[in-house]
Every structure is written in C-alpha cells, then in structure tokens.
Amino acid sequence: MMAGKIETQTEIPKNENLIGLEKNDYRGRETSLCQGCGHNSISSQIIAACYEMSIQPEKVIKMSGIGCSSKSPAYFLSRSFGFNALHGRMPATATGAIMVNNTLKAIGVSGDGDTASIGLGHFKHLVRRNVPMTYIIENNGVYGLTKGQFSATADKGQELKKVGVNPFMPVDICMEALIANAGFVARSFAGDPKQVKELLKAALSFDGTAVLDIISPCVTFNNRDESTKSYAWGRKYEEPLHDVTWVPEREEIKVDYEPGNVIDVEMHDGSQIVLKKLEKDYNPTDRIAALKMLEETCCGGVLVTGLIYFNKEQPPLDAIENLVETPLSRLTEKELRPSAQSLQELMQRFH
Amino acid sequence: MTEAVEKHERSRDARSIINDFSMIVASVNGSGSQTSNMALIRALFRMGIPVNGKNLFPSNIQGLPTWFTIRASSKGYTARREAVELLVGMNHATFLEDLEGLVEGGVCFYPDHFSKPEVRPDVVYYPMPVNQIIKDVDPPRDLRDYMSNMVYVGVVAEMIGIEIEAVRDALDTHFRGKTKPIELNMSVVEAAAKWAHENLTKRDPYRVERDDQTEGMIILDGNTAGALGAVYGGVSFSAWYPITPASSLADALISYLPQLRKDPETGKQTYAVIQAEDELAAIGMAVGAGWAGARSMTSTSGPGISLMAEFSGLAYFAEIPVVIWDVQRMGPSTGMPTRTSQGDLLFVRYLGHGDTEQIVLLPGSIAECFEFGWRAFDYAERLQAPIFILSDLDLGMNLWMSEPFKYPDHPMDRGKVLTAEDLEKVDEFARYRDVDGDGIPYRTLPGTNHPKAAYFTRGTGHDDRAIYSERPEDYEANMERIFRKLETARGLLPEPVIEQGSSHEIGLISFGSTDPAIQEARDRLAETGIETDYMRIRAIPFSDEVDGFVKNHERLYVIEMNHQGQMHKLLQLNSPDHASKLVSMTHNNGLPMSARWITAQIEAKEMDS
C-alpha cells in the first residue's frame, strides 16, 4: 500500500447504489450548452456525487438564477425539483424554499454574472444567514448567453475580442464568501473532475452554506490560453492545497500516512473530509490565513484549489429560526390555524 | 353621584353639542404624545362613543410637527372631517397656524408657558399649567417629557366630560395591565383633572356623554388586522423589508405569531419570518417558500412594489402562490411616505413586464383586512398565483372601530396538489396541463417522493410539461390557459358590495378606505334630495356584478384617491359600451377622503347635469 493512499471498504454494486437507483436515474435532459463547456463537466460530477452518495433525487431541489450556468440544472437530476428563477436572485428563492422544507438538499447553481454582479448582495446575505445549501458558482469570467461581455470576475488587463481590455480588478467570490462568514469555502477547476466531485460530496454533507467556486471555462468566449479562466491555463497552473477525499459515515477510514500528513475533518452527518498534505502545509480552519492566501495568490499566476476554509460551528438559518420538525410546507390546517377560541380571547384585548 | 356626573349636570345647557366633534392634538414628533392620544381615543371608545383616530405624521424621527385627529360621532361616522372644533396646541412652532384651522367658536387647550395668542378672539382658550403640574407630581426625571403630555389628557377629560375611570381603562389596555406605568400616568391625569376642576370654568358647548354604540366592538389598526388575518390563514413564511407604512404589518406578525403559532409541546415555531436585505429578496424568499408549498407572504408599500415587479411577473408566469400586501402611500417615487393614497392600483394590476394581469383584493375596512388576510392564501393556492392586497396608510396605520373579527367560516383550500399516492393513479403528470378546463393546472410539492413528481419551474417559455419551449403553439396555449384561469378567478373572488335603491339614476363607485367618507356623504346627499346607489369594489378581475351596476345607472361617479382616476380607467375598459357614463372624481393630496369633499363635488356635478 502506498503511503497516503486512502482505502475504504466500499463495494459499490455494479449498477446500483445503496437505495437501488442506477446512475441513469440521476441524469438530466440533454444539455444545450456548448460542446466542451466546463458546466457540462460539473453537471456530470453532480450526477456522480449524488449517485455515489445514494441521495434520493426527489429530496433534492435544484435552484438557479439566469445565465448558462443557471440553465444547467435541467441537465442533471431530472427526478429532482428545479427552480430556474431570476438573474441574481437564486439566493432569495432558495432561502424561502429551504426554510419551509429543510429536509430537502438544496443545490444552487449560479454563474459569475449571477453571483458576482447582479446578485452579489443576495449572495452575501445568503452566506451571512448560513442558509443550509450547496452553492456552486460556475465561474468563467464572461457573459456567454449575451455573447461575450466581461463579468466581474474577469482579470484586470484581460482582453476580449468583442469588448476590449478590462480595466477593473476582479471580484474574488471565495474572498467575498469568507468576509460574509461562510463556514465552507472551496475552489475547484472543471478540468479536475475528481476534486470537483470530492468537494461536491463534502459540500452536500455540510449543514450550512457551502460555497464552491469552480473555474469552468467558456469554450466559446473565454478559452484563450492566456485567460486565467481557460482549460489550458488551469491545467498548467492549478495548485491544489491538498488532496481531497470525502468518506461517508458508514465507511471505516483506512489511512496509511506519515503523522502530520493528513487533516481529517468530521462533518455533522458523520462523514469526513480527508485532506492529504501536498507540498505545503495548509490549515483550512484558519480564516485569516485563508484570506491571506487568497490575497497573495489572487494575481500570482496560480489557480489555488481545494477546501479553503471550514468551520462547522455556526448554526444554520433553520436552527436559528427554531422550526418544528415537520417541514413548514407540510403542516396542515390543524397546526396552521389557531382555534376559534384563541381569536375570541384576542378580540378581548382590543375592546 | 360621582363628581364627574355632578359637574356634567351642572354645566349642561341647550347649547351643548354632545358626542360630535373633531379634536386635533398638535405636537412635536417624537415627544411621546402617542400614549396620551391613545388614552383619549380609547377612553371615548370605552364610554360607548363612536370614534376614529388618525395620525398625520411627518417622515421624521424627532422634531417635526405631527397632528393626531380624534373624531367623535354620535352617528358613527369615521371618515376624516375637515372642520375641527377642539385643538390641543402643544407645538409652539405651528400654534398660530393650528389656531387658524379651528371653526368659529372653537376651543383651544394650550400650555400656559405659551403666550396667549392675540388672534382668534372667538376661540375659547383654556391655558394649562403643564410645568407646574409636572413639578408637583414629580415623575422620574427621564420620563418628564412623556408625562407632561398626560396633562392635556386630564384637562381635556375634565373639560369635555371624559370619565377618569375610562382613561384608566384605556391606559390599562395600552400598557397591557402593567401597574407601574398605568399608575404613573394616572397620577398626572388625576392631578391635571383636579386642577382643571378647581380652576377652569366651562365656556364651550362641546361635551361627551356615555353612549352604548361601541358595545362589543373592537378598535384597531388595519395592519394589525391584516397580520392577524394572515396568522389565522395559516401563514408559515413571511419575508419583508422595513418601509413606511407597511412595517407595522410585519411587526404585528412578529408580535402575534409567537403567541398563537408555537407547537404546544416543543415550543418550536410553525412559521418563519425573515427580514430580508431588500424588497427584491423579500418577495424572492416568499416566492421560493410558496413554490415549496408553504402559505407565504410579504408586505410592503409602493417603492417596495416597484422592486417586486420582477418576481411578481415570475410568480404570475410560473404560477406560484404568494400573498403580497401593498399598504399604499403617496407616490410617485419616494413621494410622501407618511401620507395615504390609492395610487398603486394600475401598477399592481399589471405588475410585471409582458402580458401580466395580477389578482388584486381591495379591503375597505379593518374587518376586511382580517378577512382578506386569511382568504388570500386560499385564493393564492387555489389559483396558483400571486394575490395582491391593496390597503393604504389610512386603513393600515390609523385606529378604526369594528365588529370583532369573524373566525374563518370554511376549511383551508390548499388547491390542486398531487401527492405521491395521487401520482400512482395518473398516467402522466404535466405541471401546466388544463385537466379540468378551468385553466388551473395541478402541481406537486418539492420533496414529493415519487418518480413522476418532479418538474422544472422556470420563467422562460414552457410547454404543459414545464419543459423549455419556444414553439409558438406552446406559448399561445399556455397564455390562453393562464387567461382562462383569470376568468375562473372572477367567480371566486369577493363580489362587490352593492347598495341599490330603486332610482337607477346616480351610482357611486369606490374601493378601499374611502368607504366611510362615502357612506357619510350619501347620508348628507340624501338630506339635500340627491339619492345615490353605491358599489364598493372588492377585487380585480371584476365579477359580472360590476358591469351590471355600471349598465344599470345613468351617471356613475368613481371616487378614488389618486390623480389619474385609475379605477375609473379600469371600469371604462371593463364596460366599454358605457364608458361615457363613468365620471372620475379624484382626491389626491395625501389626506384621507372626507364626506364634505364628496358632497361638494357631486352637488356641483349634479347641478351641471
């Protein structure tokens, strides 16, 4: 056995997961995005992660805004409920839906225009409230559906054929999430499907807002080699902070590693994220260090990926609101309408 | 015989005007006069006298002038009255102006540290030694400013005959039985009444006497009524953003939900109320919750409605139940935030880009704020659509008498929702298919555990299976079905209230908070020989009765509080063959409607016709 290799006892049945579903049960409609679009690769990993985690698809809600990324929920998990709402406003619809049914797993899919421009305020307030959901940003630095304008995550000085040179500094979505006190902040690259899948699994096991900023190249408008949002650039300059593996609760972790080489993070649902050290030490529980790392690498010619920050101590919004166990959306008249006598008593107060 | 009754008997004469006056308390915003004004109005109410209280306040936290109007009416009229008989002038800055507004022979109470005005010799002046009384009673220093307002309560009570025990009852209600503030305030009230009894001689005709017209009734503001309606309608999610004059609706939800809607065993909440980051998010959250199956609402005013246009269109087109309260204030733009209006009618009716026609409820009393508050959820879930409730500042924030609210008279209507068991029995579930021919499709709730349950909700064009479509025939079929659904709504929503005589000559038409002024105006017009029929519209789209009433009258006056005559325009569209019979009468200056304005307008127009 190689040092650092993680083995588990899992034996996935050939075509079925633990709840008896096949991978096909997790697929969506045929994509209408461009061939080679990073978003399609992410959709595949969402399908794989949900299948492998044996998530009941009917218990998932897929929330999105407007844009190429926001169309993608139609292309995975057809047996899940989807809501393709308004540009930048997915955080609001997701908050409402989750608060009235917190037994559902929510996957939000957004883009850099949706999250970093028109919806930046909503995004930060969703994070601030710690709404329990996986919030994916498929980040390509460009507006695709409107044919190639810069987004707010485009690099300063970048040139695009249609619109010229971008004079503004980019919005760093991970940094915004950290400043808004997110408890789970990760960055990945659509060209690194294994890492995307492991981080997705970790995010889906987190019980607050899990922010997953995935660099997802736009093959049509922003994939020239010198663009930091291109496949070529990502492949060349990706620097993972660690090797990420998500291990479900039911599996015993068998790890063979040198002491100090692995950080093992336990989630609320009993699953674990195992982070194997690569070249440098990185502690994902130090918020200031995370911000510092992002600041130092933002224009430094590297694409740092991995679990940037983790803190499971903050209560999610549904816990703060002290909700009854039955989802609010499933309460009946008996629980919802106070008695006639209570109204009579109340009326006495206004005499 | 009590002292009060004795004094009352002593001063009674033929000139007395009993239980009929308007009183204005002029004070400085933020000076704490609210408790005093509540005490006066509730005390009158407790004495069985019909009252109405209106607060005319500035958009300001502290320092600008504010006026509280109390109208007592033996005939039970509650509309704004233009004539003012009694003034409590506590604001030096507006004192002379306030005096000018008094009727001939009116009455003025004022602090004796103001110099006696040299204008209006016809007015009966009662100076009040506010500072001396406060010095004698010596309340805690930090409460002195508030307490000094209780001086006028005591003096006014003594001079017009309000029973001191009724004031105590009123304070008991106001402070919810908390002894300490009740006693502290009463000590000032009693000292002031005693001083007035010993030092002032009654020289004016305005008096109150115990009556029995408020027996069993309640007095409340429309925003609280609307919030209680929502609570009894089973609201389980509300998101909102602070805005005058709608904030007190959310405040009331936050105040009453914990009392009425906690699980008795666990103490956990059967509801969530979220203060959003803006109105975009407020309605977005409400739409998300409605989509997921909850009884969901938001509450706002005009500027918030502007921001909610986008989500209103989505909810309309994606067919998501949600309830939206618009407590209207004066626009356009920021307008006059603390003044009342009915200026959002057309905007809300067509809120959303593209072909959007929203369903609008128009409560005309606090009892209807309560009733429409719960019914709106039934309509929203039955019709799978946003339901707008148009209230206004006057109805929402002022104090109105009412019969106690009636408990919902039928079980909740949760609309066409398919469960997993239902899905077992159907071959196919198509989210937007008109199975029953009423334009209303079936929906499933997220989380329904059946392979057929899921569908994809979108604001983009879709076919009847909710799948993205740009096919012309899919688009047309979907739009036609939505408008078929609105036809179904016509027969479902509250019908107009029609008061029909036999002449069929003159018809008055109104909606919302103008109702009391119109009722009063009709009595006055009848006294001068002008008989009128009356229709108060309570919902849009209009039911057939609306067109019927228009058809059946020769001249129709559409009375409303906006500049454009918005209801007038909607009625002309609804009855194009009779459009020329409809005459627009608009009152649009930020003040509530008055009967005098209506009678003057109609008398002038009838003279012309």
Side-chain angles (χ1 to χ4, degrees):
Chain A
M1 193 180 284
M2 280 168 58
K5 170 148 181 163
I6 296 159
E7 278 197 3
T8 69
Q9 289 178 325
T10 318
E11 276 188 38
I12 297 167
K14 273 180 199 132
N15 297 318
E16 279 186 7
N17 63 11
L18 292 173
I19 55 170
L21 296 181
E22 296 176 13
K23 202 162 182 183
N24 265 339
D25 295 319
Y26 292 84
R27 294 194 196 284
R29 303 184 68 78
E30 197 184 331
T31 178
S32 67
L33 300 173
C34 306
Q35 191 148 22
C37 175
H39 303 356
N40 288 333
S41 158
I42 296 167
S43 294
S44 300
Q45 297 316 312
I46 294 172
I47 291 166
C50 291
Y51 168 69
E52 288 170 23
M53 291 173 82
S54 298
I55 291 172
Q56 183 72 41
E58 285 78 12
K59 296 290 171 189
V60 173
I61 51 174
K62 307 174 291 182
M63 310 301 287
S64 65
I66 294 291
C68 292
S69 58
S70 295
K71 286 159 84 110
S72 73
Y75 315 139
F76 59 84
L77 268 61
S78 274
R79 283 173 54 175
S80 302
F81 292 78
F83 193 169
N84 179 195
L86 297 174
H87 200 17
R89 323 262 179 255
M90 178 268 277
T93 44
T95 301
I98 292 162
M99 288 309 286
V100 302
N101 194 341
N102 57 353
T103 64
L104 302 176
K105 267 199 190 308
I107 301 175
V109 182
S110 179
D112 39 303
D114 208 51
T115 288
S117 285
I118 190 167
L120 186 59
H122 298 309
F123 168 68
K124 295 199 70 163
H125 284 278
L126 173 115
V127 170
R128 169 178 167 258
R129 295 189 183 101
N130 206 19
V131 177
M133 72 179 298
T134 296
Y135 191 116
I136 301 164
I137 302 97
E138 299 182 338
N139 185 351
N140 57 17
V142 73
Y143 286 82
L145 273 181
T146 51
K147 305 211 181 300
Q149 300 81 8
F150 282 119
S151 88
T153 65
D155 292 308
K156 184 176 177 181
Q158 193 195 343
E159 190 170 355
L160 282 179
K161 202 158 65 181
K162 179 172 175 166
V163 286
V165 177
N166 173 34
F168 305 113
M169 285 294 285
V171 169
D172 185 321
I173 289 168
C174 290
M175 208 181 264
E176 296 295 340
L178 274 170
I179 288 167
N181 263 310
F184 185 114
V185 181
R187 177 168 284 152
S188 193
F189 170 49
D192 185 355
K194 182 191 170 285
Q195 191 201 48
V196 168
K197 186 169 79 179
E198 296 302 314
L199 285 172
L200 270 170
K201 287 178 174 178
L204 286 163
S205 308
F206 188 68
D207 73 350
T209 308
V211 177
L212 193 42
D213 176 24
I214 306 177
I215 304 303
S216 177
C218 172
V219 291
T220 305
F221 294 109
N222 194 12
N223 196 30
R224 282 154 72 175
D225 289 359
E226 67 274 16
S227 165
T228 62
K229 307 292 189 296
S230 70
Y231 278 117
W233 205 90
R235 285 195 183 111
K236 197 166 173 189
Y237 298 109
E238 182 186 2
E239 273 188 19
L241 293 165
H242 31 234
D243 185 46
V244 185
T245 309
W246 177 84
V247 185
E249 179 191 21
R250 56 190 174 272
E251 292 175 9
E252 187 189 333
I253 305 171
K254 284 188 182 170
V255 193
D256 180 15
Y257 58 88
E258 291 161 27
N261 254 9
V262 163
I263 296 176
D264 182 0
V265 183
E266 191 175 335
M267 312 291 278
H268 282 288
D269 67 357
S271 66
Q272 296 180 57
I273 312 171
V274 179
L275 304 171
K276 201 191 94 183
K277 180 182 161 181
L278 294 170
E279 273 147 45
K280 292 179 204 154
D281 279 322
Y282 182 75
N283 174 9
T285 62
D286 183 339
R287 183 160 165 266
I288 300 301
L291 281 165
K292 187 159 179 273
M293 182 276 290
L294 287 171
E295 176 69 25
E296 285 168 359
T297 57
C298 91
C299 310
V302 286
L303 170 58
V304 175
T305 62
L307 183 59
I308 292 168
Y309 182 65
F310 183 85
N311 170 12
K312 64 174 182 182
E313 301 308 317
Q314 306 171 112
L317 184 60
D318 55 330
I320 291 168
E321 292 291 320
N322 193 29
L323 304 178
V324 288
E325 203 163 311
T326 310
L328 301 182
S329 63
R330 300 303 168 123
L331 296 175
T332 62
E333 179 155 354
K334 188 171 164 291
E335 295 95 12
L336 293 175
R337 176 167 284 165
S339 68
Q341 196 196 334
S342 72
L343 182 63
Q344 254 180 10
E345 286 166 7
L346 197 62
M347 290 296 103
Q348 300 294 330
R349 286 198 218 164
F350 306 124
H351 280 319
Chain B
M1 196 180 265
T2 66
E3 201 172 62
V5 174
E6 201 178 351
K7 173 148 183 167
H8 164 79
E9 292 299 330
R10 195 167 62 224
S11 63
R12 191 170 189 177
D13 62 42
R15 279 181 62 245
S16 284
I17 297 169
I18 313 291
N19 295 352
D20 269 309
F21 60 81
S22 280
M23 172 162 67
I24 281 194
V25 180
S27 56
V28 178
N29 200 33
S31 68
S33 56
Q34 202 195 357
T35 306
S36 305
N37 299 333
M38 290 301 124
L40 281 174
I41 191 168
R42 280 191 189 281
L44 290 165
F45 180 72
R46 287 295 175 110
M47 288 177 67
I49 302 161
V51 282
N52 177 268
K54 294 191 195 301
N55 192 8
L56 201 63
F57 60 106
S59 181
N60 159 262
I61 293 171
Q62 202 170 45
L64 290 184
T66 180
W67 296 269
F68 191 86
T69 314
I70 296 171
R71 178 178 185 185
S73 164
S74 55
K75 288 184 179 157
Y77 296 137
T78 54
R80 181 176 73 88
R81 206 161 142 267
E82 285 166 23
V84 177
E85 287 82 13
L86 304 175
L87 168 69
V88 180
M90 300 296 285
N91 184 359
H92 196 259
T94 61
F95 191 42
L96 291 180
E97 201 186 321
D98 293 335
L99 265 174
E100 287 309 313
L102 274 178
V103 297
E104 178 78 24
V107 180
C108 174
F109 300 88
Y110 69 102
D112 65 0
H113 52 268
F114 293 3
S115 48
K116 188 178 172 186
E118 288 170 14
V119 294
R120 295 300 304 267
D122 59 302
V123 167
V124 178
Y125 288 98
Y126 297 119
M128 306 178 288
V130 175
N131 292 341
Q132 187 59 47
I133 289 171
I134 288 299
K135 203 175 156 195
D136 294 345
V137 177
D138 195 26
R141 195 154 286 273
D142 56 333
L143 294 176
R144 278 193 168 197
D145 286 349
Y146 290 94
M147 291 295 149
S148 60
N149 284 306
M150 295 312 288
V151 172
Y152 70 71
V153 176
V155 174
V156 169
E158 174 63 25
M159 295 311 289
I160 69 171
I162 298 174
E163 296 164 13
I164 292 295
E165 280 313 300
V167 176
R168 181 184 290 276
D169 277 358
L171 287 170
D172 189 76
T173 302
H174 186 78
F175 290 111
R176 295 198 174 167
K178 282 182 223 145
T179 317
K180 207 176 156 187
I182 297 169
E183 290 311 322
L184 200 55
N185 281 289
M186 279 309 292
S187 62
V188 179
V189 172
E190 280 165 354
K194 184 165 178 283
W195 175 87
H197 183 75
E198 287 164 0
N199 296 282
L200 295 177
T201 308
K202 177 86 174 167
R203 287 177 282 124
D204 70 88
Y206 301 103
R207 305 205 41 82
V208 297
E209 272 181 15
R210 192 164 263 281
D211 199 347
D212 60 0
Q213 295 196 59
T214 66
E215 187 65 37
M217 294 185 86
I218 59 170
I219 186 163
L220 197 62
D221 62 281
N223 281 349
T224 303
L228 288 173
V231 173
Y232 282 84
V235 66
S236 52
F237 186 85
S238 179
W240 66 292
Y241 186 76
I243 187 168
T244 303
S247 295
S248 57
L249 203 155
D251 290 342
L253 274 182
I254 292 164
S255 156
Y256 288 102
L257 278 167
Q259 301 171 39
L260 293 161
R261 289 279 302 282
K262 274 195 172 163
D263 183 277
E265 279 164 35
T266 61
K268 293 194 169 216
Q269 301 180 171
T270 61
Y271 60 87
V273 179
I274 309 253
Q275 184 181 324
E277 59 269 30
D278 52 36
E279 286 92 344
L280 303 165
I283 189 172
M285 291 178 190
V287 167
W291 172 75
R295 298 206 136 188
S296 173
M297 66 178 276
T298 184
S299 45
T300 188
S301 187
I305 291 289
S306 288
L307 292 179
M308 292 183 181
E310 188 186 30
F311 260 112
S312 299
L314 174 67
Y316 172 82
F317 193 49
E319 300 180 63
I320 296 167
V322 62
V323 172
I324 301 147
W325 278 84
D326 176 6
V327 187
Q328 296 167 95
R329 68 188 215 186
M330 245 344 206
S333 190
T334 309
M336 294 198 283
T338 59
R339 298 299 150 97
T340 199
S341 163
Q342 294 181 323
D344 293 350
L345 184 68
L346 282 174
F347 185 48
V348 164
R349 171 64 176 141
Y350 297 111
L351 194 66
H353 54 267
D355 289 300
T356 310
E357 290 190 9
Q358 304 286 5
I359 296 167
V360 187
L361 302 181
L362 302 163
S365 64
I366 61 165
E368 282 185 353
C369 286
F370 178 81
E371 184 189 340
F372 293 0
W374 64 264
R375 281 191 197 276
F377 292 109
D378 287 355
Y379 298 137
E381 291 191 329
R382 168 57 48 185
L383 296 164
Q384 297 178 21
I387 303 293
F388 289 84
I389 308 177
L390 244 65
S391 177
D392 64 30
L393 183 144
D394 187 25
L395 192 53
M397 290 190 73
N398 288 326
L399 286 172
W400 301 84
M401 296 186 307
S402 171
E403 295 292 335
F405 301 149
K406 290 199 185 76
Y407 193 71
D409 57 6
H410 65 79
M412 287 181 183
D413 178 2
R414 304 305 302 261
K416 299 184 187 180
V417 177
L418 296 176
T419 62
E421 296 76 56
D422 297 332
L423 290 165
E424 272 303 305
K425 297 175 208 148
V426 298
D427 293 334
E428 191 191 4
F429 161 57
R431 169 68 181 95
Y432 297 113
R433 189 165 294 166
D434 189 4
V435 178
D436 304 325
D438 57 4
I440 307 171
Y442 285 80
R443 64 178 182 138
T444 53
L445 304 186
T448 302
N449 202 356
H450 193 282
K452 281 185 220 155
Y455 66 97
F456 198 82
T457 305
R458 52 175 91 245
T460 42
H462 43 266
D463 66 13
D464 68 357
R465 290 178 303 146
I467 291 166
Y468 182 80
S469 172
E470 294 176 4
R471 292 173 68 223
E473 49 274 40
D474 283 342
Y475 183 84
E476 279 182 340
N478 189 44
M479 258 306 172
E480 278 163 19
R481 183 189 51 74
I482 289 176
F483 278 85
R484 201 152 60 239
K485 182 171 84 169
L486 294 176
E487 285 303 309
T488 302
R490 279 182 198 271
L492 199 64
L493 302 170
E495 69 289 355
V497 176
I498 293 175
E499 290 168 38
Q500 174 85 60
S502 54
S503 89
H504 298 283
E505 196 180 343
I506 305 170
L508 309 185
I509 302 177
S510 84
F511 66 100
S513 70
T514 55
D515 184 53
I518 292 167
Q519 297 287 5
E520 185 179 347
R522 290 183 69 217
D523 288 353
R524 289 205 198 173
L525 287 167
E527 283 163 17
T528 62
I530 302 175
E531 293 290 340
T532 57
D533 295 338
Y534 176 36
M535 172 171 69
R536 180 166 62 85
I537 294 168
R538 301 196 299 167
I540 312 175
F542 299 131
S543 65
D544 294 341
E545 289 98 325
V546 172
D547 184 47
F549 186 84
V550 172
K551 268 188 193 150
N552 283 335
H553 288 85
E554 285 172 35
R555 292 186 301 288
L556 297 118
Y557 297 106
V558 185
I559 301 161
E560 55 191 312
M561 294 193 300
N562 53 60
H563 184 79
Q564 295 166 298
Q566 300 184 13
M567 180 60 89
H568 177 254
K569 286 184 165 56
L570 289 174
L571 287 167
Q572 286 190 317
L573 286 173
N574 192 58
S575 304
D577 295 343
H578 303 273
S580 61
K581 297 195 299 193
L582 290 155
V583 179
S584 179
M585 271 180 48
T586 61
H587 178 278
N588 191 50
N589 60 10
L591 296 175
M593 188 70 83
S594 73
R596 182 188 284 186
W597 183 85
I598 297 169
T599 51
Q601 295 283 313
I602 291 181
E603 278 165 5
K605 289 202 160 103
E606 282 299 305
M607 235 181 287
D608 293 344
S609 68

